[in-house]
Amino acid sequence: MHVPDGFIDAPVSVAAGVAATAAVAVSLRGARRELDERTAPLAGLVAAFIFAVQMLNFPVAAGTSGHLLGGALAAILVGPYTGVLCVSVVLLMQGILFADGGLTALGVNILNMAVVTVLVSYAVFRLLLKLLPSGRRSVTVAAFAGALLSVPGAAFMFTLLYALGGTTDVPIGKVFTAMVGVHVLIGIGEALITAATVGAVIAVRPDLVHGARGLATPLKLRVGGELVDAPAAAPVPAAARSTRKLWLTGLATALVLAGFVSFYASTSPDGLEKVAADKGIDSKVQEHAAADSPLADYSVKDVDDARLSGGLAGVIGVGATVAVGSGVFWAVRRRRAQDLTASSTAAPSAG
């Protein structure tokens, strides 16, 4: 789904860039309400995890592969505003360091892979939570459905942008059918990864899952042959519960996925690459501005061993993403703290 330079003409790319900039600006402001001292580090980790899992292309059809987009996962774990920022950080790192996704198409990619996926997935997720019984299983089911629909939603947005500014003369009906068709299949993989990850985090730290806030499944005890609710335990203050163990476990998982497991990922072209090649959309593709980057194509320049080269690139990418992402989210968190301090200081004088 990473759109390269040359697929979409300059006017539409600029318009998409303006829209993406506005979406990021709104998300920076909205993320102040979502991030606190516990979730700010988690947001940086989520960005790094998405980067790592995006390196794991999985086969979906003959000669085609797919990978996680991550909008649904990020929105459910850390909130929709923060989710847009997480995926945007990943796309920025991929474009600058790894020549993946065009730089002039960065706005297009943020709209497709960050904004649309978050909006579609989180809307579906919240709607299903209202309809399903309260419980952890419902959160996982809703996450699955939201993630599933977010991927063809992104494919639809690409088709719309291509209809407005495509640089090749391909019937839009053919583009729509091919893009949405293959991305429905990719959406199944997205849904499975998202549901499994959300379920795993809920199992150990439900208090850190944005989409599960307020979720409480009472413990059941069997008394006299009947199940009854156990007495409520005294709540542990949220600030007293450390996130260090989860953060370290998540970072280690991301490093293993990017540094080792990625070597075994499918080498088939992803959904957009396959459609572009089959339909001729890629006839005017332009060389990436960072094509000479030492990390271009997820390999380290001058390292001849493919396994080592790809693994080192993955580890560097995870490190860079978690560093940049954590910096962004700590800055947003700091701004929130400043706003709260200013509000509390101004309140007495207003009275």
Side-chain angles (χ1 to χ4, degrees):
M1 185 59 76
H2 292 78
V3 179
D5 297 320
F7 277 22
I8 307 296
D9 65 21
V12 174
S13 294
V14 170
V18 172
T21 301
V24 169
V26 170
S27 297
L28 283 168
R29 189 172 185 85
R32 296 183 202 173
R33 300 190 297 271
E34 295 174 345
L35 295 172
D36 55 30
E37 66 276 5
R38 296 176 306 130
T39 55
L42 181 62
L45 175 62
V46 169
F49 184 79
I50 290 173
F51 173 90
V53 180
Q54 283 196 4
M55 294 183 67
L56 309 180
N57 280 49
F58 49 84
V60 294
T64 309
S65 70
H67 63 69
L68 182 80
L69 299 187
L73 178 62
I76 295 165
L77 288 180
V78 292
Y81 293 108
T82 308
V84 169
L85 299 179
C86 282
V87 181
S88 297
V89 167
V90 173
L91 293 170
L92 183 63
M93 293 295 98
Q94 290 170 333
I96 293 175
L97 297 179
F98 299 94
D100 188 10
L103 296 183
T104 63
L106 183 60
V108 171
N109 286 321
I110 289 176
L111 279 183
N112 290 344
M113 297 177 65
V115 179
V116 170
T117 57
V118 166
L119 288 177
V120 171
S121 64
Y122 202 69
V124 172
F125 176 78
R126 299 308 307 183
L127 176 62
L128 287 179
L129 283 189
K130 292 180 179 179
L131 300 176
L132 296 171
S134 178
R136 295 180 183 181
R137 181 174 298 179
S138 294
V139 173
T140 304
V141 170
F144 182 95
L148 174 63
L149 294 176
S150 70
V151 179
F156 175 81
M157 174 56 74
F158 169 79
T159 305
L160 177 61
L161 294 174
Y162 182 82
L164 295 173
T167 57
T168 52
D169 187 18
V170 179
I172 197 62
K174 292 185 177 180
V175 176
F176 173 81
T177 301
M179 282 294 293
V180 174
V182 71
H183 284 91
V184 166
L185 299 177
I186 295 173
I188 297 173
E190 178 99 11
L192 291 171
I193 295 170
T194 300
T197 305
V198 169
V201 178
I202 286 180
V204 294
R205 289 297 301 270
D207 58 304
L208 294 180
V209 178
H210 180 89
R213 288 182 178 176
L215 176 66
T217 303
L219 177 65
K220 298 288 186 179
L221 296 177
R222 187 172 296 277
V223 178
E226 296 182 0
L227 288 176
V228 298
D229 290 344
V236 178
R241 303 191 64 185
S242 173
T243 61
R244 179 176 299 179
K245 183 177 180 180
L246 177 64
W247 195 90
L248 291 175
T249 301
L251 180 61
T253 301
L255 290 171
V256 170
L257 292 175
F260 176 73
V261 181
S262 62
F263 180 77
Y264 301 98
S266 172
T267 58
S268 298
D270 66 24
L272 176 59
E273 290 172 336
K274 179 66 173 175
V275 171
D278 289 347
K279 304 300 180 184
I281 295 174
D282 60 356
S283 61
K284 294 187 179 180
V285 67
Q286 300 173 6
E287 184 179 23
H288 199 286
D292 294 328
S293 165
L295 298 172
D297 297 323
Y298 298 92
S299 60
V300 178
K301 189 176 182 180
D302 297 328
V303 176
D304 295 330
D305 184 272
R307 185 191 300 269
L308 179 60
S309 179
L312 286 175
V315 168
I316 293 170
V318 168
T321 303
V322 76
V324 173
S326 296
V328 169
F329 298 124
W330 273 117
V332 173
R333 166 61 185 152
R334 183 180 178 85
R335 183 62 182 270
R336 176 188 177 182
Q338 292 173 343
D339 290 346
L340 292 174
T341 301
S343 299
S344 62
T345 303
S349 60

